[in-house]
Amino acid sequence: MSGSSGSDGGGGGGGGDRRTFLKRVGYTALVGAGFGAGALVTYDGTNPVKPHVIKGKRLPMYQVVVAQGTPRVAVSRGADTLANLHAALKAMGGIEQFIKRGDRVVLKPNAAFDRTPGQAANTSPEVVGEVTRLCLRAGAQRVTVAENTLFDPGRCMESSGIDAAVRKAGGKVHLPKKDNQYAEAIIDGLVLDTWPVMKIFWEADKVINLPTAKHHRLARVSLGMKNWMGAIGGQRRKWHQKLDLTVTDMAAVMQPTLTILDASRLLMRHGPTGGRLSDVKRGDTIIVGRDQVAVDSLALPLLGAALTEVRQIGQAARRGVGRIHLTDSELVELKTGA
Amino acid sequence: MQPQTIRRIFAGFFLTTFVVLSALMGTQIVRVYPATIFLELDPLHGLATVLATGVLFSGLVLGLIVVGLTLVVGRAWCSWICPLGILQDCASIKPKDTSDRAARLRNRYRSIYHLKYGVLIAFLVLAAFGVTQTGLLDPMALLLRSVVSSFLPLINHAGVHLDPASRLTWGGVFIGLILVVILVLPRFLPRTFCRVLCPLGALLGLVAKFSIFRIWRDEKKCTHCGACQRACQGACDPHTNLRVSECTLCFNCMAVCPEGAIGFAALPSRARENVASPDLSRRRALAAGGAGVASYALLATSVSSRNRPHPKAIRPPGALAEKDFLAKCIKCGACMKVCPTGGLQPAALEAGFEGLWTPIMVNEIGYCEPNCTRCGRHCPTGAIRPLTHAQRVGLPPENSPIRIGTAFVDRGRCLPWANGITCIVCEEVCPVSPKAIVVEEAEVFLGHTRSGEVHTTKVLRPYVNPTRCIGCGVCENHCPVQGKRGIRVSSVGESRSRENQILLIGRHRD
């Protein structure tokens, strides 16, 4: 400790005494004033409740203005998955209509499970890889495949084959598990006010949803809108309490540039995790669309589900998130192969 | 009158005041200012909570009085006002009990006495990280906690009923034993706690470095007889260079000096003093600061109610969100003293080590009285907010009551559910309107009759509606299944936390 009057050998004349005394009182006053000022600055007599004000940010708009005559949805059927993908994209006006030079693209496949491609719990790796390649070829600055996996991220990536496919195509993989990799998004929905969403969605110009088509115990089916549960953080299991409302709330603010539904094979039972090959059947279909509600509704017959069973699709249509009923010119149906 | 005598009168007054206020606080016998005034006067709480939260709450501003007092006369608080200091003085071995030489040895300054500065620095560093642990050793918190959780239950058991509730305690023995040790040690070394450990004494010692008035010794008159050191309580070396940071102003030296060589004055020329600085080198300060940082790292990385809500860490109504609560709670026990049912108890390790002795509801002992707001009105640091009745019960404009948890029926222990026995005491006592516990009539299997027919009965089975339940624990408290109750409250659903929720919270609840 320094600075006080310290030792003072005494002796000295009266003037010296006075100086020493004043010096000491000065230090005392200084310390006292320090405490007083600190108290003055920090004093709070009421302890008011700080309301739970959660600052959220709105998610960007990812949708693009398309040329006249572009369908809302293109469905392509055939044994060759990649041929289906190319045909459907071509019918939509080509990926170049949606991805521009310099775009930062986020792809959101379903890659949440430690399952092999044949088990059909995740999106096919060849679809994810090919879309990555196509986006980069269209001039995308970078393509990031993002997923909040349900199981260990490393295992999910390895088993699904998605990590290898994306890296081979030149994309990046982003598997955030830390709270600080998520930020509150303003949802303003019927049940969600805000919810943590991966920060990478604010660093993206375009977002392509890459769901797979499968059975889901509670939601009946898991398709495009349900796939956003892999883009969020927080205590996402709570969504199950009102799943149709939460999924619709989220879909209303997360409108992707494109939805590419991989229905090349279908998990018909024991979803969304699956595991048995006997629960998987061929779907031989790729659905590409700029209306996620329409894409989801068109996939229902594949899974043997009725629109009335899947409440989130009706919800979303009623709330104008997308449309169920398309005119002839809005829907293109194709066949590839022989 | 000798200053020593005046000091004893003051000491007697303050010790009595503390005991009386502590005993009467929260009782309906007579309304007096709560004993928490001693905690508010204690500047360590003000300083620690300001470091932890940036806010000096309400009454804690009174700590400035003691800082001011110390800046003028030195650590008078320790011998004149601090009830634990006074108790230490009373418990200390007296000079006449042993030889003069032994008495001088006892009051020699020892290097272990710098430990308290280290304790203070470590606590303040922890506080700067938002972890307020000063209450572990702060004399006011330590003593009030001991009185509330050990002494009063003890005399209550002996038949002196100051409180309406039965005063069973949760870990009161441990708290009491610590006080016993603190009061026994001075039989061997005077004022052991004050000299070695007390972080408040350390803080006031640092402030006293700048005090105007000091004890002084006239070298010309002094015969070096050593009487002053034999009588010294602070081990502050009055016979040589006074250690002003250790001096507790007991004035024993002045009283016993046969030459009248010791005085108390502001003027250095008369004082001819040589003042030793607090025994605190830069290296020691850094080491203590390092200990604080390391403790923080350990606390932050271990599971506690700060990072993982604990079902048993049920906080009183008005408690701030856990992180803010832990930054403000000084474990003083004032809330527990005024709790009308005695259900508010010092936590063991339910809230993690950091939450040791912070208040939790133990519903087996008492429940949270649904209209009561006493704990918040007595909390000296604002860790529990003072609530209005409207805030507590959710009258407009609040519209939502304070929830401290949610009750869950244990269907394996609930009498109607598990045994087909009529009960529903929980539904009957549920104070929420409309009731949070609802019942359904059901026909349940009891066994087979001798002729082999199925024997059934009709009982009412309880269900909890989690959107109505406020977690008050009346149901758990009254559940006839002794031991582990058939309905129990968990902290989940508490309105102070956004994370510790079962239900999806969104605008649908607004």
Side-chain angles (χ1 to χ4, degrees):
Chain A
M1 302 267 56
S2 63
S4 108
S5 50
S7 57
D8 150 32
D17 277 356
R18 195 177 304 117
R19 198 162 53 243
T20 317
F21 178 70
L22 288 177
K23 209 167 118 191
R24 183 197 284 181
V25 172
Y27 277 119
T28 306
L30 213 62
V31 174
F35 273 96
L40 204 65
V41 170
T42 55
Y43 181 75
D44 179 353
T46 55
N47 196 21
V49 203
K50 281 174 236 143
H52 275 309
V53 180
I54 302 214
K55 284 183 197 151
K57 287 182 290 182
R58 292 203 178 274
L59 282 161
M61 297 286 286
Y62 306 115
Q63 294 189 307
V64 294
V65 180
V66 291
Q68 221 170 6
T70 306
R72 287 182 86 82
V73 183
V75 182
S76 179
R77 297 186 177 86
D80 186 338
T81 303
L82 291 187
N84 285 335
L85 175 65
H86 292 142
L89 276 173
K90 192 175 167 205
M92 291 297 295
I95 194 136
E96 297 76 15
Q97 171 152 237
F98 300 92
I99 306 296
K100 302 292 178 202
R101 184 155 297 282
D103 275 352
R104 298 162 301 170
V105 181
V106 170
L107 306 184
K108 170 62 187 74
N110 194 329
F113 305 92
D114 180 14
R115 296 290 191 217
T116 57
Q119 290 170 318
N122 301 319
T123 309
S124 310
E126 69 262 36
V127 172
V128 185
E130 182 64 6
V131 174
T132 306
R133 198 180 65 79
L134 292 173
C135 289
L136 287 169
R137 204 178 61 181
Q141 180 194 125
R142 66 163 192 253
V143 176
T144 311
V145 172
E147 174 70 314
N148 181 2
T149 59
L150 185 55
F151 293 86
D152 173 64
R155 286 179 174 279
C156 292
M157 282 301 111
E158 185 162 338
S159 304
S160 67
I162 288 175
D163 187 76
V166 170
R167 284 179 198 283
K168 195 176 160 208
K172 286 183 188 141
V173 174
H174 179 60
L175 307 162
K177 280 288 174 197
K178 290 182 201 146
D179 284 350
N180 65 8
Q181 292 172 304
Y182 292 82
E184 292 286 337
I186 295 173
I187 310 282
D188 248 341
L190 289 183
V191 292
L192 304 178
D193 39 15
T194 64
W195 202 273
V197 171
M198 280 179 201
K199 282 182 180 169
I200 195 163
F201 281 93
W202 281 275
E203 294 149 22
D205 304 302
K206 304 288 164 60
V207 168
I208 299 179
N209 194 10
L210 285 173
T212 187
K214 55 183 177 172
H215 168 260
H216 189 279
R217 180 78 240 178
L218 185 60
R220 180 60 186 90
V221 294
S222 173
L223 298 164
M225 291 195 288
K226 176 76 178 61
N227 198 34
W228 296 127
M229 276 193 81
I232 61 168
Q235 298 176 357
R236 50 185 175 157
R237 303 304 162 252
K238 281 183 189 160
W239 277 31
H240 281 211
Q241 293 170 19
K242 291 170 195 267
L243 193 58
D244 55 330
L245 296 178
T246 46
V247 164
T248 313
D249 277 357
M250 184 69 204
V253 296
M254 182 66 102
Q255 290 278 15
T257 319
L258 275 178
T259 301
I260 301 178
L261 178 76
D262 171 23
S264 57
R265 65 279 184 285
L266 309 161
L267 179 61
M268 301 302 287
R269 287 170 296 276
H270 300 132
T273 51
R276 290 194 306 183
L277 294 178
S278 58
D279 289 338
V280 179
K281 92 172 190 195
R282 288 181 72 97
D284 289 341
T285 307
I286 295 282
I287 306 179
V288 179
R290 52 196 173 88
D291 179 334
Q292 54 184 339
V293 182
V295 170
D296 282 10
S297 65
L298 284 163
L300 293 180
L302 295 169
L303 293 161
L307 191 55
T308 48
E309 295 175 278
V310 189
R311 292 166 65 192
Q312 71 265 27
I313 296 181
Q315 261 286 334
R318 276 198 301 283
R319 285 162 62 181
V321 178
R323 281 164 44 199
I324 303 175
H325 303 291
L326 302 181
T327 61
D328 287 349
S329 64
E330 286 174 324
L331 172 64
V332 176
E333 296 194 75
L334 308 152
K335 269 205 180 305
T336 60
Chain B
M1 229 187 321
Q2 280 280 351
Q4 193 193 23
T5 315
I6 302 172
R7 191 251 304 165
R8 284 184 180 144
I9 294 169
F10 268 84
F13 169 76
F14 281 115
L15 181 61
T16 314
T17 308
F18 180 80
V19 172
V20 169
L21 293 188
S22 303
L24 293 182
M25 184 167 61
T27 65
Q28 299 301 316
I29 300 169
V30 54
R31 279 186 185 277
V32 288
Y33 199 93
T36 44
I37 186 158
F38 282 88
L39 293 140
E40 291 169 339
L41 284 167
D42 175 343
L44 182 57
H45 295 313
L47 183 58
T49 53
V50 162
L51 284 174
T53 66
V55 169
L56 182 66
F57 178 63
S58 189
L60 293 179
V61 74
L62 297 182
L64 285 183
I65 295 175
V66 173
V67 170
L69 175 75
T70 311
L71 278 173
V72 178
V73 296
R75 275 174 67 183
W77 164 272
C78 303
S79 280
W80 293 57
I81 305 172
C82 175
L84 189 62
I86 295 162
L87 283 174
Q88 288 271 296
D89 182 10
C90 299
S92 289
I93 184 164
K94 298 291 178 288
K96 61 177 179 348
D97 295 347
T98 52
S99 71
D100 285 359
R101 200 179 111 75
R104 279 195 76 166
L105 274 177
R106 276 198 302 272
N107 292 340
R108 204 183 49 187
Y109 181 80
R110 289 156 209 265
S111 62
I112 186 71
Y113 296 164
H114 67 67
L115 184 64
K116 59 179 171 292
Y117 298 105
V119 168
L120 172 73
I121 290 170
F123 276 159
L124 293 183
V125 168
L126 265 178
F129 281 109
V131 180
T132 303
Q133 293 295 323
T134 42
L136 286 176
L137 287 176
D138 172 87
M140 292 302 96
L142 188 153
L143 191 60
L144 185 59
R145 178 172 67 233
S146 309
V147 168
V148 170
S149 300
S150 303
F151 180 67
L152 290 177
L154 194 104
I155 65 164
N156 185 75
H157 188 72
V160 184
H161 298 286
L162 289 169
D163 300 292
S166 91
R167 286 277 171 193
L168 281 175
T169 66
W170 194 252
V173 173
F174 186 42
I175 292 171
L177 276 178
I178 290 172
L179 184 67
V180 168
V181 170
I182 286 174
L183 293 183
V184 166
L185 285 176
R187 290 306 302 163
F188 306 95
L189 186 68
R191 278 187 179 260
T192 327
F193 178 81
C194 314
R195 290 183 185 180
V196 181
L197 271 181
C198 183
L200 175 60
L203 175 65
L204 295 180
L206 294 181
V207 174
K209 176 84 178 111
F210 302 97
S211 69
I212 295 174
F213 283 80
R214 282 114 193 253
I215 295 283
W216 58 273
R217 182 174 52 92
D218 193 333
E219 285 275 14
K220 285 183 196 131
K221 288 189 190 167
C222 178
T223 59
H224 303 283
C225 68
C228 52
Q229 194 184 23
R230 276 196 295 280
C232 178
Q233 281 185 19
C236 56
D237 293 346
H239 62 294
T240 166
N241 289 348
L242 179 81
R243 293 175 181 271
V244 69
S245 294
E246 306 297 317
C247 174
T248 64
L249 257 72
C250 66
F251 291 131
N252 288 355
C253 51
M254 247 161 93
V256 298
C257 181
E259 311 298 331
I262 294 183
F264 182 63
L267 290 173
S269 63
R270 288 190 57 208
R272 293 177 187 279
E273 60 187 2
N274 280 310
V275 176
S277 291
D279 192 2
L280 183 68
S281 66
R282 185 169 299 172
R283 182 177 298 183
R284 279 174 188 160
L286 280 174
V293 173
S295 327
Y296 170 70
L298 278 172
L299 290 172
T301 51
S302 65
V303 167
S304 72
S305 53
R306 174 193 294 272
N307 45 39
R308 290 281 182 283
H310 191 285
K312 287 194 166 180
I314 303 167
R315 300 296 191 190
L320 305 183
E322 191 68 5
K323 197 167 149 274
D324 301 332
F325 179 80
L326 290 172
K328 287 198 168 205
C329 179
I330 53 169
K331 316 162 190 279
C332 69
C335 52
M336 305 168 202
K337 173 63 173 76
V338 301
C339 178
T341 70
L344 210 48
Q345 293 283 339
L349 295 176
E350 288 85 352
F353 187 80
E354 202 183 332
L356 182 69
W357 299 331
T358 54
I360 57 168
M361 285 303 304
V362 179
N363 292 322
E364 288 158 41
I365 298 176
Y367 58 89
C368 183
E369 191 67 47
N371 289 305
C372 173
T373 56
R374 276 186 183 180
C375 48
R377 282 187 281 119
H378 286 82
C379 179
T381 62
I384 311 171
R385 287 189 288 132
L387 296 173
T388 62
H389 183 256
Q391 288 169 329
R392 173 78 166 99
V393 302
L395 298 177
E398 306 296 331
N399 294 323
S400 179
I402 301 280
R403 302 166 200 280
I404 60 173
T406 308
F408 291 88
V409 176
D410 182 341
R411 293 186 179 183
R413 289 179 71 85
C414 169
L415 295 178
W417 278 103
N419 312 94
I421 296 170
T422 301
C423 180
I424 63 156
V425 172
C426 53
E427 192 264 359
E428 190 182 311
V429 295
C430 177
V432 182
S433 181
K435 282 187 187 290
I437 299 177
V438 290
V439 294
E440 169 212 42
E441 190 178 47
E443 189 162 8
V444 296
F445 172 79
L446 283 184
H448 293 97
T449 58
R450 212 168 278 175
S451 54
E453 287 162 38
V454 172
H455 182 32
T456 63
T457 185
K458 278 192 175 168
V459 291
L460 295 171
R461 296 193 297 204
Y463 292 81
V464 177
N465 178 338
T467 59
R468 288 186 196 156
C469 180
I470 57 168
C472 66
V474 183
C475 51
E476 181 177 347
N477 187 254
H478 285 74
C479 177
V481 183
Q482 292 300 302
K484 192 180 184 187
R485 305 291 155 105
I487 184 167
R488 298 186 297 279
V489 176
S490 289
S491 66
V492 70
E494 50 183 352
S495 33
R496 69 197 183 107
S497 166
R498 192 175 154 89
E499 291 76 37
N500 192 18
Q501 297 297 333
I502 321 165
L503 302 170
L504 187 65
I505 296 184
R507 47 184 60 242
H508 63 298
R509 282 180 66 177
D510 294 348

